[in-house]
Short mmCIF file of all heavy atoms in Angstrom, two decimals:
data_model
loop_
_atom_site.label_atom_id
_atom_site.label_comp_id
_atom_site.label_asym_id
_atom_site.label_seq_id
_atom_site.Cartn_x
_atom_site.Cartn_y
_atom_site.Cartn_z
N GLY A 196 -7.33 -33.95 -18.15
CA GLY A 196 -8.75 -33.80 -18.46
C GLY A 196 -9.57 -34.89 -17.79
O GLY A 196 -9.04 -35.94 -17.39
N VAL A 197 -10.86 -34.62 -17.64
CA VAL A 197 -11.79 -35.58 -17.04
C VAL A 197 -12.75 -36.03 -18.13
O VAL A 197 -13.32 -35.19 -18.84
CB VAL A 197 -12.57 -34.94 -15.88
CG1 VAL A 197 -13.57 -35.93 -15.30
CG2 VAL A 197 -11.61 -34.44 -14.81
N PRO A 198 -12.92 -37.35 -18.31
CA PRO A 198 -13.86 -37.83 -19.34
C PRO A 198 -15.23 -37.20 -19.18
O PRO A 198 -15.79 -37.12 -18.08
CB PRO A 198 -13.90 -39.35 -19.09
CG PRO A 198 -12.59 -39.65 -18.44
CD PRO A 198 -12.28 -38.46 -17.59
N GLY A 199 -15.78 -36.72 -20.31
CA GLY A 199 -17.09 -36.12 -20.29
C GLY A 199 -17.12 -34.66 -19.91
O GLY A 199 -18.17 -34.01 -19.94
N GLN A 200 -15.95 -34.11 -19.52
CA GLN A 200 -15.87 -32.70 -19.15
C GLN A 200 -15.20 -31.92 -20.27
O GLN A 200 -14.41 -32.46 -21.03
CB GLN A 200 -15.07 -32.54 -17.85
CG GLN A 200 -15.71 -33.21 -16.64
CD GLN A 200 -17.02 -32.56 -16.26
OE1 GLN A 200 -17.19 -31.35 -16.37
NE2 GLN A 200 -17.98 -33.39 -15.84
N PRO A 201 -15.48 -30.61 -20.38
CA PRO A 201 -14.83 -29.79 -21.41
C PRO A 201 -13.32 -29.82 -21.25
O PRO A 201 -12.80 -29.92 -20.14
CB PRO A 201 -15.39 -28.39 -21.16
CG PRO A 201 -16.66 -28.61 -20.40
CD PRO A 201 -16.43 -29.84 -19.57
N ALA A 202 -12.64 -29.73 -22.39
CA ALA A 202 -11.18 -29.71 -22.36
C ALA A 202 -10.71 -28.44 -21.67
O ALA A 202 -11.36 -27.39 -21.75
CB ALA A 202 -10.63 -29.77 -23.77
N PRO A 203 -9.57 -28.51 -20.96
CA PRO A 203 -9.04 -27.31 -20.29
C PRO A 203 -8.65 -26.26 -21.32
O PRO A 203 -8.40 -26.56 -22.48
CB PRO A 203 -7.82 -27.84 -19.52
CG PRO A 203 -7.43 -29.09 -20.23
CD PRO A 203 -8.71 -29.69 -20.74
N ALA A 204 -8.58 -25.00 -20.86
CA ALA A 204 -8.20 -23.90 -21.75
C ALA A 204 -6.79 -24.13 -22.28
O ALA A 204 -5.94 -24.71 -21.59
CB ALA A 204 -8.26 -22.58 -20.98
N PRO A 205 -6.52 -23.68 -23.51
CA PRO A 205 -5.17 -23.86 -24.07
C PRO A 205 -4.12 -23.23 -23.18
O PRO A 205 -4.28 -22.12 -22.68
CB PRO A 205 -5.26 -23.14 -25.43
CG PRO A 205 -6.71 -23.10 -25.75
CD PRO A 205 -7.43 -23.00 -24.43
N LEU A 206 -2.99 -23.95 -23.02
CA LEU A 206 -1.93 -23.44 -22.18
C LEU A 206 -1.26 -22.21 -22.76
O LEU A 206 -0.57 -21.48 -22.05
CB LEU A 206 -0.88 -24.54 -21.97
CG LEU A 206 -1.32 -25.69 -21.06
CD1 LEU A 206 -0.25 -26.75 -21.01
CD2 LEU A 206 -1.65 -25.20 -19.67
N LEU A 207 -1.44 -21.97 -24.06
CA LEU A 207 -0.80 -20.81 -24.66
C LEU A 207 -1.34 -19.50 -24.10
O LEU A 207 -0.78 -18.44 -24.34
CB LEU A 207 -0.97 -20.83 -26.18
CG LEU A 207 -0.15 -21.90 -26.91
CD1 LEU A 207 -0.47 -21.88 -28.39
CD2 LEU A 207 1.34 -21.69 -26.69
N LYS A 208 -2.44 -19.55 -23.33
CA LYS A 208 -2.92 -18.35 -22.68
C LYS A 208 -2.00 -17.94 -21.53
O LYS A 208 -2.09 -16.84 -21.02
CB LYS A 208 -4.35 -18.55 -22.17
CG LYS A 208 -5.38 -18.65 -23.30
CD LYS A 208 -6.79 -18.73 -22.74
CE LYS A 208 -7.81 -18.79 -23.88
NZ LYS A 208 -9.19 -18.86 -23.37
N ASP A 209 -1.16 -18.86 -21.09
CA ASP A 209 -0.20 -18.55 -20.04
C ASP A 209 0.88 -17.64 -20.64
O ASP A 209 1.56 -18.03 -21.58
CB ASP A 209 0.45 -19.85 -19.53
CG ASP A 209 1.38 -19.61 -18.36
OD1 ASP A 209 1.77 -18.45 -18.13
OD2 ASP A 209 1.73 -20.59 -17.69
N PRO A 210 1.07 -16.42 -20.10
CA PRO A 210 2.05 -15.51 -20.69
C PRO A 210 3.46 -16.05 -20.65
O PRO A 210 4.29 -15.69 -21.48
CB PRO A 210 1.91 -14.23 -19.83
CG PRO A 210 1.28 -14.68 -18.56
CD PRO A 210 0.38 -15.83 -18.95
N LEU A 211 3.76 -16.93 -19.68
CA LEU A 211 5.12 -17.48 -19.62
C LEU A 211 5.43 -18.30 -20.87
O LEU A 211 6.57 -18.36 -21.31
CB LEU A 211 5.30 -18.35 -18.37
CG LEU A 211 5.32 -17.62 -17.03
CD1 LEU A 211 5.44 -18.62 -15.90
CD2 LEU A 211 6.46 -16.61 -16.98
#
Side-chain angles (χ1 to χ4, degrees):
V197 178
Q200 297 294 324
L206 289 176
L207 289 176
K208 291 185 178 180
D209 185 344
L211 290 178

